[in-house]
């Protein structure tokens, strides 16, 4: 009687045969190679590998190491999809803009490509002028000069206060590196009304959602292009994403909550450890966490010293073995 073919499945849905064999390998330290015929998924997902001294035996990869390897691969696929999304936006943006507003139908375009910082600011100001309920914003660390950031805050302060005066509320998400930024703190202290801010190690790219009716997102890397979105489903999706990030974030204004450490490991060290295991460079880690590269390298050096690492490759291994990434945040 021919055995049933092994079912196709994702690593997140490990089949019963694979789970049983993997747990056996963890208990016994190895399993015979022929037993993997019942669960070839374990080799495909990198959960088992041939023993160096005996190719007829299979040894288990530590669950933490296997997990972070799979997460890294997943992250690479997500990054690839994001690049594809950017290319699609670049391709279809001019076509959307060319479609424009149809006076005969009276309909407003659901997606509009805004070109130039002056045009983008004007569109945001117009949307804010009509707002009466709520402003949601995600503000990652700006890559601009101090003068440009101060000018942007000056414009934003007028718009924000006008909304607050109309009884609206403002919720802003920052990166933790901006918790103590003098410019950011001063901006919040100048405003009067229902305003709160929270922070995460990593946030999405810049996002503005006005009254859950219109949203603005970047359409390029330097702030020269933006998408104005008025499609209810898309705006609702962005607002829901913000809400979920908001619940995970730490309050920073009006009352700051200190970031707790777990077993002596700070949230910042944990965030850096996660990105190191995923294989990112110092520059990428600094960008993702909103800090300069020198600061990132100082944190990485402290992490290496804490774990006794002598090299970058060893550091990733020691992080996986240490259990740092298994601590509940």
């Amino acid at each position: 009687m021919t055995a049933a073919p092994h079912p196709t499945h994702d690593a997140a849905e490990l089949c019963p045969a694979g789970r049983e064999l993997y747990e056996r390998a963890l208990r016994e330290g190895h399993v015979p190679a022929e037993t993997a015929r019942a669960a070839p998924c374990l080799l495909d997902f990198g959960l088992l590998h041939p023993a160096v001294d005996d190719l007829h035996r299979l040894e288990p990869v530590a669950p933490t190491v296997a997990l972070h390897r799979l997460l890294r691969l997943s992250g690479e696929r997500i990054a690839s999809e994001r690049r594809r999304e950017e290319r699609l936006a670049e391709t279809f943006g001019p076509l959307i803009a060319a479609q424009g507003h149809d006076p005969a139908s009276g309909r407003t375009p659901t997606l509009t490509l805004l070109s130039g910082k002056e045009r983008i600011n004007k569109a945001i100001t117009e949307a804010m002028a009509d707002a009466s309920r709520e402003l949601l914003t995600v503000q990652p660390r700006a890559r601009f000069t101090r003068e440009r950031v101060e000018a942007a805050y000056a414009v934003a302060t007028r718009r924000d206060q006008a909304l607050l005066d109309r009884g609206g509320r403002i919720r802003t998400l920052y990166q933790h590196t901006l918790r103590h930024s003098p410019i950011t703190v001063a901006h919040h202290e100048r405003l009067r009304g229902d305003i709160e801010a929270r922070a995460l190690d990593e946030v999405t790219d810049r996002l503005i959602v006005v009254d859950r009716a219109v949203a603005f997102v970047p359409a390029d890397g330097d702030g020269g292009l933006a998408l104005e979105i008025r499609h209810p489903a898309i705006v609702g999706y962005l607002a829901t994403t913000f809400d979920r990030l908001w619940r995970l974030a730490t309050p920073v204004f009006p009352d700051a909550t200190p970031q707790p450490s777990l077993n002596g490991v700070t949230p910042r060290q944990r965030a850096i450890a996660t990105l190191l295991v995923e294989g990112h460079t110092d520059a990428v880690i600094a960008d993702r966490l909103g800090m300069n590269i020198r600061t990132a390298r100082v944190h990485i050096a402290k992490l290496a010293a804490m774990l006794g690492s002598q090299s970058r490759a060893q550091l990733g291994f020691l992080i996986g073995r240490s259990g740092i990434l298994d601590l509940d945040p």
Side-chain angles (χ1 to χ4, degrees), residues 60-285:
V61 175
T64 303
V65 174
L67 171 62
H68 294 303
R69 180 185 298 156
L70 291 168
L71 289 176
R72 184 175 66 251
L73 294 173
S74 176
E76 290 172 354
R77 288 195 297 270
I78 292 171
S80 176
E81 284 299 311
R82 285 176 177 167
R83 289 191 293 270
R84 181 173 179 272
E85 290 171 1
E86 291 171 358
R87 292 195 299 271
L88 286 170
E90 291 174 359
T91 300
F92 284 86
L95 302 177
I96 295 169
Q99 179 186 26
H101 177 66
D102 183 358
S105 67
R107 292 180 302 175
T108 300
T110 57
L111 292 175
T112 304
L113 183 67
L114 306 173
S115 180
K117 295 177 177 60
E118 184 176 343
R119 176 71 187 93
I120 295 170
N121 278 325
K122 181 181 178 182
I124 296 173
T125 299
E126 290 172 351
M128 287 285 292
D130 295 332
S132 60
R133 296 187 294 113
E134 181 182 62
L135 172 67
L136 308 176
T137 69
V138 177
Q139 300 290 349
R141 179 171 175 261
R143 302 180 183 87
F144 308 135
T145 63
R146 181 184 179 88
E147 291 75 15
R148 185 171 167 184
V149 172
E150 289 177 340
Y153 269 129
V155 174
T157 298
R158 292 191 294 271
R159 290 193 302 232
D160 293 354
Q161 190 59 60
L163 173 61
L164 294 169
D165 291 342
R166 292 194 295 272
R169 71 172 194 167
I170 297 175
R171 300 291 182 264
T172 302
L173 277 172
Y174 294 106
Q175 289 173 290
H176 278 305
T177 48
L178 291 175
R179 288 170 63 94
H180 307 295
S181 164
I183 299 177
T184 303
V185 172
H187 169 69
H188 284 276
E189 290 179 341
R190 281 194 294 267
L191 296 171
R192 295 292 178 268
D194 186 357
I195 178 171
E196 291 183 35
R198 296 185 181 184
L200 290 166
D201 282 304
E202 289 189 78
V203 296
T204 64
D205 209 338
R206 200 169 307 277
L207 169 67
I208 297 174
V209 181
V210 182
D211 273 359
R212 298 184 183 245
V214 55
F216 298 89
V217 298
D220 68 349
D222 62 4
L225 291 174
L227 275 179
E228 178 181 332
I229 304 168
R230 292 183 178 272
H231 192 292
I234 301 176
V235 176
Y237 178 88
L238 294 171
T240 298
T241 300
F242 179 94
D243 291 339
R244 293 181 179 178
L245 291 173
W246 181 261
R247 287 193 289 270
L248 296 172
T250 303
V252 296
F253 186 89
D255 298 312
T257 299
Q259 292 182 268
S261 62
L262 295 171
N263 295 347
V265 180
T266 67
R268 178 56 45 80
Q269 289 171 330
R270 208 167 165 274
I272 289 175
T274 299
L275 296 176
L276 281 169
V277 169
E278 290 177 2
H280 296 294
T281 65
D282 294 354
V284 170
I285 292 172

